[in-house]
Amino acid sequence: MIWKKTWSSIRWKIVFIYFLLVFIATTIIGIFIMNQLESYYMDSVRDNLTRIVHKSGMITSLSEYDDLNKHKDEIQDNIDAWTKGFEGEIFVVNDDYQIIASNNENVIESNAIDLLDKNVVVQGLNGEKAESNGLTTTQKQTKNLGFPISNLDTKGVLYLRSDLTSIYKTINRSKEIFVKAMVLALFITVVLGFIIAKSITVPINDVTEKAEKMAQGDFSQEVSVKSDDEIGRLAEMFNFLRMQLTLTLSEISNEKTKLETILRYMTDGLIAVSLTGNIIHANPAAMKMLHISEDDIKNKNYDDIIKDYNSNLILENLMKNSEGSGSEENFDYTGCTFAVRYGKFKDENDLDVGIIMMIQDITARQKLENMQMDFVANVSHELKTPLTSIKSYTETLMDGGVEDKEIAQSFLKIIDVEADRMNRLVKDLLQLSRLDYQQEKLFKKDSNLISLLKSVVTKVELTVKNKNQHLNCIFDINSKVMVVIDKDRMEQVFLNVLSNAIKYTQDGGRIDIDVIKKDSKAEIIITDNGIGISEAEIPRVFERFYRVDKARSRAMGGTGLGLAISKQIVEEHNGGITIESKEGKGTKAIIILPLAPMRGIRNIE
Ligand code: ADP
């Protein structure tokens, strides 16, 4: 693999291409030069032989003989004279293919066909000039030229043979030199090619290596730009790309973190489900609402989880119902109401990827809606009862009841009581509404709680006496506990709580009022040993119109709004009110108010 990678590298490709180019070029040049050299030598040999023949006038002389055979000796003498200083061989061949004269005495009278190139001899005898390259019997390279000797009576050939050994030796030597030069050139080419290829591949490898590291998530890579050519531009572009990628990735990561934070801290639950029913994402709120863990998300199918809550919410139904702009569904679980809104989410090709659902805890909203409905029902009911009573007594009076003065008197008294009840109710409702809209103006000022409580006690004293109850002020009536309050409103609160204690405590019962200073706060504790409130009902007594025993409360003139108003007033004073009670044993109402700053910190003496 590594071997393959090395050899498939562009470096070796460049070296190979350079090598091939130089090899082909030098080979072509070599072949061309060698051919030219050879033909040059051949031409010069031919020219030399032809020049000797023409210069000596051999052909003309030989053509004058009527019979070559008869003048053999004369011809031999002439040949000897003509060829003085001539290194080649010369033969005169008659028409019987016999060598009749030659500067090589050993071949005289020999058969020309055996010793010389037959074609050249035959062509010469046919009156044509002929030429050939050939090998002698001793394997020597030669150049053969045949010149026809012809007149009316006789025919022959003047045959010249020149040894080419030294020429071929020179050519071969040239070839040798050329091959050596070619090898050297190829070697230099390979070395140069390697250096050039390296200058290209090193920066490319650098970019590749750094791109590889970037792919693994390391974006600190920077390529050094060493030139302003294409490779330099590549390095420059790589650095630019890295910078852009880092920027884009950091933007994406910021967006992701932002989204994750939103999802993590949003109070609504969010779940993304794939088409196969896998939960792709569930934020902590959703996990809490559906009571599921990370393991459930990984291992459980969405349908298996949701069908315990609402079988309408299985994936198949969601897909079916979410065609269009999405749908809504509610479910109740462990006393809470959840609203689920959902819709499909798609990929960039507009293909469905899954479902996104938002789960909202609407328990409080639902409760509020219920409370509003109850409130309207309660108000209507509370008004209807006295109205019915007033209407019926009025009708009776109009039907003649007024004649009987005594009956008329008692009826009018009842009508008056019912009208008073309605008046109280409307007054309480108006006050609650003002408190709700914070229109009730509180005139807060430093006041002594003790003197306020004393005046409240004075106001209820007669009622207490009528019920033979014992009202005990445990606090020191001469002490001072300073609080910043709207005296009238707080008096209303104390009167209401104290009246409740009196109302819901049987005749002869006991009611204690105490004031304690604790951590810059004053606690007013009103305890009775009356009928008490069951544990389940304690949290509800502050609700509007809530009455534990409706008939009893109404009989005592209660509207069911007293504690609701009290709570709101106390809270407006940055305080609180709580009820502790045991059914049949009695009730303890604790009102906490902040002490007036600096001025109120005095011990109760
Ligand atoms: P009401 O006008 O009916 O007294 P409140 O809002 O003052 O309305 O009180 C609400 C209900 O709380 C009462 O109807 C009564 O059932 C219960 N409650 C309040 N104080 C006491 C108490 N001291 N002992 C027993 N029950 C009480």
Side-chain angles (χ1 to χ4, degrees):
M1 192 66 192
I2 289 167
W3 181 87
K4 204 180 162 198
K5 212 176 165 184
T6 313
W7 288 102
S8 65
S9 153
I10 195 168
R11 182 184 299 182
W12 291 108
K13 280 182 187 157
I14 290 172
V15 171
F16 181 68
I17 289 166
Y18 274 23
F19 179 87
L20 214 64
L21 281 175
V22 173
F23 179 76
I24 292 169
T26 47
T27 309
I28 291 170
I29 293 168
I31 291 169
F32 184 74
I33 290 175
M34 287 307 135
N35 281 344
Q36 287 294 309
L37 199 67
E38 198 174 335
S39 61
Y40 167 77
Y41 278 125
M42 289 306 146
D43 288 351
S44 73
V45 170
R46 185 190 311 110
D47 290 352
N48 207 18
L49 292 175
T50 315
R51 196 164 35 81
I52 288 167
V53 169
H54 288 304
K55 207 175 157 192
S56 60
M58 270 189 258
I59 298 292
T60 329
S61 305
L62 288 168
S63 301
E64 280 168 4
Y65 296 110
D66 49 357
D67 188 353
L68 289 174
N69 295 322
K70 285 181 192 163
H71 302 280
K72 276 182 191 171
D73 292 338
E74 197 182 327
I75 292 169
Q76 182 63 44
D77 289 344
N78 283 340
I79 292 271
D80 288 341
W82 288 332
T83 58
K84 218 168 252 161
F86 175 56
E87 281 178 8
E89 291 171 293
I90 193 158
F91 310 92
V92 177
V93 182
N94 67 11
D95 52 359
D96 289 332
Y97 301 102
Q98 194 184 35
I99 299 168
I100 55 165
S102 172
N103 57 352
N104 180 357
E105 283 172 12
N106 301 330
V107 297
I108 296 171
E109 300 298 325
S110 300
N111 191 338
I113 303 296
D114 298 338
L115 293 173
L116 307 175
D117 186 336
K118 188 186 163 192
N119 290 333
V120 174
V121 175
V122 172
Q123 270 182 285
L125 287 173
N126 289 338
E128 286 169 31
K129 239 175 158 185
E131 183 185 338
S132 79
N133 290 343
L135 280 173
T136 62
T137 44
T138 53
Q139 297 298 310
K140 268 187 193 166
Q141 285 276 0
T142 55
K143 179 92 187 162
N144 308 313
L145 281 180
F147 295 92
I149 307 163
S150 68
N151 56 37
L152 288 171
D153 304 313
T154 187
K155 265 188 187 156
V157 179
L158 178 66
Y159 190 109
L160 280 89
R161 185 161 76 179
S162 178
D163 189 357
L164 295 178
T165 312
S166 65
I167 289 172
Y168 274 112
K169 220 173 175 178
T170 312
I171 290 173
N172 285 341
R173 179 84 189 113
S174 305
K175 276 183 187 166
E176 230 172 73
I177 292 168
F178 191 82
V179 168
K180 276 184 189 163
M182 193 167 100
V183 169
L184 186 69
L186 285 175
F187 175 73
I188 293 169
T189 304
V190 168
V191 172
L192 277 178
F194 194 79
I195 293 166
I196 292 168
K198 207 173 161 191
S199 73
I200 297 169
T201 53
V202 165
I204 291 178
N205 280 346
D206 191 25
V207 172
T208 314
E209 222 170 79
K210 295 199 164 147
E212 215 170 308
K213 280 189 188 156
M214 256 170 68
Q216 282 158 7
D218 178 4
F219 285 88
S220 63
Q221 303 302 316
E222 181 129 0
V223 177
S224 52
V225 182
K226 287 181 185 145
S227 56
D228 60 354
D229 55 9
E230 285 83 346
I231 303 235
R233 289 264 305 143
L234 175 71
E236 226 172 72
M237 275 298 121
F238 177 86
N239 289 338
F240 181 67
L241 178 83
R242 182 195 70 89
M243 206 175 76
Q244 290 294 321
L245 257 174
T246 316
L247 269 175
T248 316
L249 277 174
S250 96
E251 265 170 35
I252 293 172
S253 144
N254 282 349
E255 282 301 311
K256 201 174 156 237
T257 323
K258 215 160 53 181
L259 202 71
E260 268 171 7
T261 314
I262 293 170
L263 289 180
R264 189 173 317 126
Y265 294 108
M266 68 193 259
T267 46
D268 292 344
L270 185 132
I271 296 183
V273 186
S274 74
L275 292 178
T276 52
N278 290 327
I279 298 176
I280 305 166
H281 185 88
N283 71 345
M287 285 163 70
K288 204 171 148 201
M289 285 170 183
L290 298 179
H291 300 94
I292 51 172
S293 63
E294 292 280 357
D295 282 347
D296 293 334
I297 293 173
K298 274 185 212 143
N299 306 324
K300 282 193 182 167
N301 193 281
Y302 163 77
D303 281 354
D304 294 340
I305 293 171
I306 208 73
K307 67 176 186 252
D308 293 342
Y309 298 90
N310 184 344
S311 53
N312 287 338
L313 287 170
I314 59 165
L315 192 61
E316 195 189 330
N317 288 349
L318 299 190
M319 290 301 289
K320 218 177 347 177
N321 297 339
S322 57
E323 298 294 340
S325 57
S327 311
E328 206 171 324
E329 186 87 39
N330 283 6
F331 70 86
D332 289 307
Y333 191 74
T334 55
C336 294
T337 309
F338 297 99
V340 182
R341 258 175 291 150
Y342 55 90
K344 283 180 186 172
F345 70 102
K346 297 171 184 268
D347 64 10
E348 62 274 13
N349 301 321
D350 212 31
L351 294 171
D352 292 346
V353 176
I355 291 275
I356 293 241
M357 49 197 282
M358 287 274 288
I359 310 174
Q360 219 177 359
D361 185 347
I362 54 162
T363 316
R365 198 174 81 197
Q366 200 87 336
K367 213 168 159 185
L368 200 74
E369 277 170 16
N370 290 345
M371 269 169 70
Q372 277 170 347
M373 284 191 300
D374 285 354
F375 184 77
V376 173
N378 279 327
V379 170
S380 323
H381 183 75
E382 293 298 329
L383 287 172
K384 195 172 174 278
T385 317
L387 270 175
T388 319
S389 156
I390 289 172
K391 177 92 181 137
S392 58
Y393 284 110
T394 319
E395 271 169 7
T396 319
L397 283 174
M398 286 195 303
D399 287 347
V402 76
E403 309 296 326
D404 187 332
K405 260 212 159 152
E406 222 170 282
I407 291 174
Q409 197 64 32
S410 75
F411 279 15
L412 284 171
K413 218 171 176 181
I414 293 168
I415 290 169
D416 188 45
V417 169
E418 292 300 336
D420 275 351
R421 179 198 296 281
M422 280 198 339
N423 195 27
R424 256 196 326 272
L425 187 73
V426 172
K427 254 167 73 186
D428 281 356
L429 280 172
L430 277 173
Q431 189 179 13
L432 258 179
S433 156
R434 279 201 306 272
L435 284 166
D436 281 344
Y437 290 102
Q438 293 181 331
Q439 284 171 347
E440 179 97 333
K441 280 223 164 66
L442 296 178
F443 299 99
K444 289 186 199 171
K445 54 180 186 201
D446 282 12
S447 314
N448 184 5
L449 197 60
I450 302 299
S451 47
L452 179 63
L453 282 171
K454 276 197 298 194
S455 89
V456 171
V457 167
T458 318
K459 282 189 179 160
V460 295
E461 245 168 6
L462 193 65
T463 329
V464 172
K465 208 172 167 193
N466 289 342
K467 284 190 87 177
N468 286 322
Q469 290 168 332
H470 305 279
L471 181 61
N472 309 306
C473 292
I474 300 173
F475 57 89
D476 182 351
I477 52 165
N478 298 318
S479 66
K480 258 187 176 181
V481 176
M482 296 306 290
V483 282
V484 186
I485 51 167
D486 179 321
K487 244 178 155 178
D488 290 345
R489 295 282 76 81
M490 272 327 283
E491 184 183 51
Q492 190 185 345
V493 172
F494 294 138
L495 264 175
N496 180 47
V497 177
L498 201 55
S499 311
N500 279 350
I502 299 164
K503 266 194 287 187
Y504 303 108
T505 300
Q506 55 279 31
D507 286 5
R510 179 194 163 104
I511 296 149
D512 294 333
I513 309 172
D514 198 2
V515 177
I516 304 172
K517 282 205 279 188
K518 211 193 226 175
D519 304 332
S520 71
K521 285 192 171 99
E523 277 185 15
I524 304 101
I525 305 159
I526 299 169
T527 318
D528 65 65
N529 61 350
I531 58 170
I533 310 162
S534 73
E535 208 180 320
E537 277 169 308
I538 293 175
R540 300 202 62 188
V541 293
F542 294 104
E543 283 176 22
R544 292 168 190 192
F545 293 112
Y546 190 81
R547 287 176 288 201
V548 179
D549 183 343
K550 276 194 167 56
R552 186 179 192 145
S553 163
R554 190 171 291 130
M556 309 240 184
T559 57
L561 295 171
L563 281 181
I565 294 173
S566 301
K567 188 170 191 270
Q568 224 143 323
I569 292 173
V570 172
E571 279 169 3
E572 288 286 325
H573 284 83
N574 305 320
I577 176 166
T578 50
I579 296 267
E580 290 169 17
S581 186
K582 259 209 172 110
E583 212 173 353
K585 289 267 161 71
T587 304
K588 188 193 264 185
I590 306 159
I591 299 159
I592 300 170
L593 289 172
L595 288 171
M598 309 300 286
R599 304 173 288 265
I601 307 166
R602 266 181 233 163
N603 286 331
I604 304 165
E605 285 135 30

